[in-house]
Amino acid sequence: MSRVRPAGGPLPPERVTGAATSVVELYGRPGCCLCDDARAVLEGLRDELGFALVELDIAADDAAHRAYFERIPVVRLNGVELFDFHVDEAVLREALASPGMI
């Protein structure tokens, strides 16, 4: 993964846009092909749907590694887990369109 941060660390400015109202976090690790697939889907939707995308390397944080190791990639929206293993584009669109849903 490129430009990742350990859980709890500061958000890299290039990964968070000021206009975004929702934050999508992608928990993964380098060399994970499913993580690469999830990232590609999220990056493809980010500008259209207006969310900030933050990548977190579970290998850089022991607690995150224990919590997510067998489930990556894990995708959270505004702190709520939505997906593991893959991103369901329709569900993400619905969740972003209905903020009260989460």
Side-chain angles (χ1 to χ4, degrees):
M1 290 178 124
S2 61
R3 296 186 180 136
V4 294
R5 71 171 173 95
L11 301 178
E14 68 274 11
R15 302 302 282 174
V16 179
T17 61
T21 57
S22 295
V23 176
V24 173
E25 295 172 307
L26 173 62
Y27 288 79
R29 65 179 171 79
C32 168
C33 62
L34 292 176
C35 301
D36 293 341
D37 293 345
R39 181 184 314 102
V41 170
L42 293 171
E43 286 180 344
L45 295 172
R46 179 175 43 188
D47 289 339
E48 174 190 347
L49 301 178
F51 59 83
L53 177 60
V54 178
E55 296 182 45
L56 300 108
D57 181 354
I58 66 166
D61 182 277
D62 289 338
H65 190 262
R66 284 190 301 276
Y68 299 114
F69 177 70
E70 294 183 3
R71 301 181 343 164
I72 59 171
V74 173
V75 176
R76 295 175 13 149
L77 173 59
N78 298 328
V80 177
E81 285 188 22
L82 288 184
F83 315 112
D84 49 11
F85 304 115
H86 73 281
V87 175
D88 185 323
E89 184 177 328
V91 171
L92 180 61
R93 286 177 182 279
E94 184 177 341
L96 286 164
S98 306
M101 179 179 139
I102 299 179

